[in-house]
Amino acid sequence: MNSDQEYMQRCLQLAANGLGRVRPNPLVGCVIVKDGVIVSEGYHQEYGHNHAERNAILNSQSSVLNSTLYVNLEPCSHQGLTPPCADLIIEKGIRKVVCCNDDPNPLVAGKGFAKLEAAGIEVVRHILEDEGRRLNRRFFTFMEKRRPYIILKWAQTSDGFMAPEGRRNYWISSQRQNILNHRWRSEEAAILIGSQTYIDDKPQLTTRHYNGLNPTPIVLDRRCRLKDVPSHWLHLHSATLDEVVRQLFDLKIQSVIVEGGRAVLDSFISEGLYDEIRILRSSVRFGVGLQAPDISSLDKTRIQFFD
């Protein structure tokens, strides 16, 4: 790994600190190097607050004139909730910008690089590009596929059941797995269940076991059975999943974790509408009951087990 890659790896590490707090913005980290030494670092910490480049420049204890700025996403060139980062980079006399990913957002999409180069700044692109796309997979999926990044998640027993026979109370996940599950919730913009899960469990769908932001709760109620859905929930009646994901895109919901029952999960699987499957696997055995979705024919690279 050369020095450009090492500094970019540090950008990606910093950027990951914003997961769950900057949505719908991408995760961005920044490192400023001068005379072969890191003189400042920063990352985008919260939606509506400073971008990574501005934080890194403000964090520097010395001049960044003639330095090299590393950032994992093309600097913005437009006025949003914060001023354009490209303008600040030019103003501070930074000599070179090394970047990981081009920004697919039409508001940026090459305009940031063009502004920097027009000001005489050297621009190097595509350093650790695949790693950057992986980190910002929610953002790139939303921008390029025009739908949220979709994670299917369920818990199952060691013998492959989601629920026991009958309607008795049961628990599959361990306390450690519950904390992990609530951390996952905090990382996504929304969480979706079906109407039957809502009727049976009245779930809270919060991050109460983990210190993070709650996702927007969504209930899919295609038969219009529910009358008591809280006002802060999204109550969807769409007939098809294509309509559901289109609605979520229009609402600027960048990612969703699906924690529904077997029917809802099977619907997403059969439509191929998922990016990851996460399975919490327990040592509990039921012997009989409701079987978990069949994943035998699915792409194993998109499936992870958590024991």
Side-chain angles (χ1 to χ4, degrees):
M1 184 176 286
N2 62 37
S3 58
D4 279 354
Q5 292 172 330
E6 290 174 353
Y7 292 136
M8 192 59 68
Q9 187 63 56
R10 179 57 181 160
C11 288
L12 296 174
Q13 291 172 349
L14 290 165
N17 292 324
L19 184 58
R21 298 191 178 277
V22 303
R23 60 189 184 230
N25 282 354
L27 303 167
V28 184
C30 181
V31 171
I32 300 176
V33 177
K34 191 170 182 178
D35 300 324
V37 177
I38 294 177
V39 296
S40 190
E41 298 180 335
Y43 68 95
H44 186 27
Q45 298 179 11
E46 189 175 344
Y47 178 70
H49 290 205
N50 288 341
H51 288 185
E53 301 96 316
R54 186 169 296 271
N55 277 334
I57 290 169
L58 291 175
N59 289 342
S60 178
Q61 300 300 305
S62 59
S63 170
V64 295
L65 181 68
N66 293 324
S67 63
T68 298
L69 181 145
Y70 292 81
V71 65
N72 63 290
L73 195 69
E74 178 181 357
C76 63
S77 56
H78 66 290
Q79 176 71 48
L81 294 177
T82 58
C85 293
D87 290 358
L88 183 63
I89 291 169
I90 294 167
E91 175 192 328
K92 293 299 181 180
I94 289 169
R95 174 179 56 85
K96 181 179 177 180
V97 171
V98 181
C99 195
C100 177
N101 297 118
D102 297 3
D103 193 331
N105 186 341
L107 293 173
V108 184
K111 299 181 183 71
F113 291 141
K115 181 175 278 192
L116 295 174
E117 289 175 331
I121 295 173
E122 180 186 356
V123 174
V124 177
R125 297 157 65 184
H126 311 311
I127 303 298
L128 298 187
E129 186 173 15
D130 290 344
E131 290 88 338
R133 286 186 65 89
R134 172 65 183 168
L135 176 70
N136 271 313
R137 56 195 183 275
R138 297 161 180 85
F139 178 69
F140 282 104
T141 296
F142 185 80
M143 287 293 174
E144 296 171 351
K145 296 186 177 180
R146 298 182 64 82
R147 67 161 174 81
Y149 188 87
I150 300 169
I151 300 168
L152 308 185
K153 171 261 157 186
W154 65 85
Q156 67 181 49
T157 62
S158 60
D159 52 352
F161 294 98
M162 293 180 68
E165 196 171 51
R167 301 185 63 82
R168 64 182 173 85
N169 291 333
Y170 65 94
W171 202 255
I172 294 177
S173 303
S174 67
Q175 183 178 5
R176 179 179 58 81
Q177 288 173 323
N178 284 335
I179 294 171
L180 176 61
N181 183 41
H182 286 216
R183 192 195 85 190
W184 288 343
R185 290 178 177 180
S186 76
E187 294 171 351
E188 310 310 329
I191 180 170
L192 183 147
I193 60 171
S195 58
Q196 194 60 52
T197 297
Y198 184 89
I199 291 168
D200 291 344
D201 301 335
K202 290 292 192 298
Q204 297 179 54
L205 305 185
T206 64
T207 60
R208 60 194 178 277
H209 297 311
Y210 185 81
N211 182 24
L213 300 177
N214 290 325
T216 297
I218 303 169
V219 60
L220 183 55
D221 182 22
R222 288 189 264 202
R223 288 180 284 169
C224 300
R225 299 192 293 167
L226 306 180
K227 307 299 181 186
D228 61 343
V229 178
S231 59
H232 70 284
W233 284 50
L234 282 179
H235 187 188
L236 302 183
H237 306 290
S238 303
T240 69
L241 290 186
D242 281 338
E243 291 172 345
V244 170
V245 297
R246 188 161 51 248
Q247 279 185 272
L248 299 184
F249 177 82
D250 290 342
L251 290 168
K252 295 182 170 53
I253 291 176
Q254 195 178 94
S255 64
V256 59
I257 187 164
V258 179
E259 290 194 15
R262 173 68 189 265
V264 169
L265 291 165
D266 279 347
S267 295
F268 277 89
I269 290 171
S270 65
E271 295 289 332
L273 276 174
Y274 67 94
D275 298 285
E276 293 182 40
I277 294 176
R278 299 175 184 174
I279 301 172
L280 293 169
R281 190 164 49 186
S282 169
S283 59
V284 172
R285 295 180 63 86
F286 285 165
V288 294
L290 176 66
Q291 289 190 322
D294 180 9
I295 60 171
S296 59
S297 63
L298 304 184
D299 180 357
K300 299 301 186 290
T301 64
R302 292 198 280 171
I303 302 171
Q304 287 182 286
F305 289 93
F306 299 85
D307 295 317

